[in-house]
Amino acid sequence: MSWNCNGGARVALRAARTGAMGLVLVLAAMSGAQAQSGEAPSAQAGTPAWAATVTYVVDGDSIWVRSAERGARVKLRLLGIDAPEVCQSLGPEARQALQRMALNQRVRVAVRGRDRYGRALATVVRAQDGADLAQTMVRAGWAWADAFSWHRAAYAADEASARDGRRGVFAQATAERPSDFRRRHGPCVPAKR
């Protein structure tokens, strides 16, 4: 699939693709059902985690998971990081790195809030070894510690280590933060065929 950058079209595309209202309803249904079981995704720190399986990797910081308990699919953005856009230099490689570490893996999800696109912001930990997916992406050099998040301090040392080791995007002397790329080009949208 090829990608073009286009300012406001990404929000509309995401809403059309995910059915923004459908996503809200799925999250609401999951919250209600999981509240009965004692596992409720919410925006509060210390939120109990719920089990899921990663079913799709959108890019280097966004995934789809299927709840183990209810089978509902939920789109998540990994909290505390910003990975290259898929139409940005090394964006496809960042996506592939997250696919290798997460696709079809069982995970524990703790939702902490929502982003401006309505995606759930979550800490996602691989069940088999307890690896925090966001931290692993930063350590490998495929994402920046999010400069606009309270969670940034958790991954700042990992980003510094990746920079020093020239891993992932930091192997390029001119690596551009995704937020700067989006400001200049707008977000990525699939090219029309």
Side-chain angles (χ1 to χ4, degrees):
M1 176 180 289
S2 60
W3 297 84
N4 288 333
C5 295
N6 182 351
R10 187 175 195 184
V11 175
L13 178 66
R14 284 184 179 180
R17 240 192 284 151
T18 63
M21 185 51 111
L23 177 60
V24 170
L25 294 173
V26 166
L27 289 170
M30 285 180 64
S31 293
Q34 289 169 338
Q36 296 172 0
S37 70
E39 291 185 18
S42 77
Q44 300 171 1
T47 302
W50 43 277
T53 300
V54 177
T55 58
Y56 184 72
V57 175
V58 178
D59 56 27
D61 57 23
S62 299
I63 59 176
W64 279 92
V65 299
R66 183 173 302 280
S67 163
E69 186 175 317
R70 296 291 173 198
R73 287 188 67 215
V74 180
K75 187 174 186 180
L76 305 173
R77 182 162 192 282
L78 300 179
L79 181 66
I81 69 170
D82 198 8
E85 297 292 319
V86 292
C87 62
Q88 184 178 352
S89 177
L90 297 179
E93 291 83 353
R95 179 177 185 253
Q96 290 168 357
L98 186 53
Q99 284 175 325
R100 284 189 301 273
M101 77 173 67
L103 190 59
N104 299 317
Q105 295 291 311
R106 294 176 45 86
V107 294
R108 300 290 294 166
V109 176
V111 175
R112 308 290 187 203
R114 304 273 178 262
D115 70 6
R116 64 182 171 188
Y117 301 110
R119 294 174 296 187
L121 293 169
T123 300
V124 182
V125 175
R126 220 172 23 208
Q128 72 182 22
D129 59 5
D132 176 336
L133 296 182
Q135 182 177 35
T136 304
M137 286 295 287
V138 175
R139 277 185 183 160
W142 293 115
W144 281 259
D146 192 347
F148 303 105
S149 170
W150 61 268
H151 207 259
R152 182 185 184 351
Y155 305 130
D158 298 302
E159 180 181 322
S161 173
R163 282 179 183 281
D164 290 345
R166 301 187 53 75
R167 294 187 296 271
V169 297
F170 304 114
Q172 292 183 337
T174 59
E176 181 177 22
R177 281 189 167 277
S179 56
D180 295 337
F181 179 86
R182 288 188 297 270
R183 196 174 303 110
R184 289 187 320 105
H185 299 286
C188 302
V189 294
K192 294 182 181 179
R193 296 181 182 198

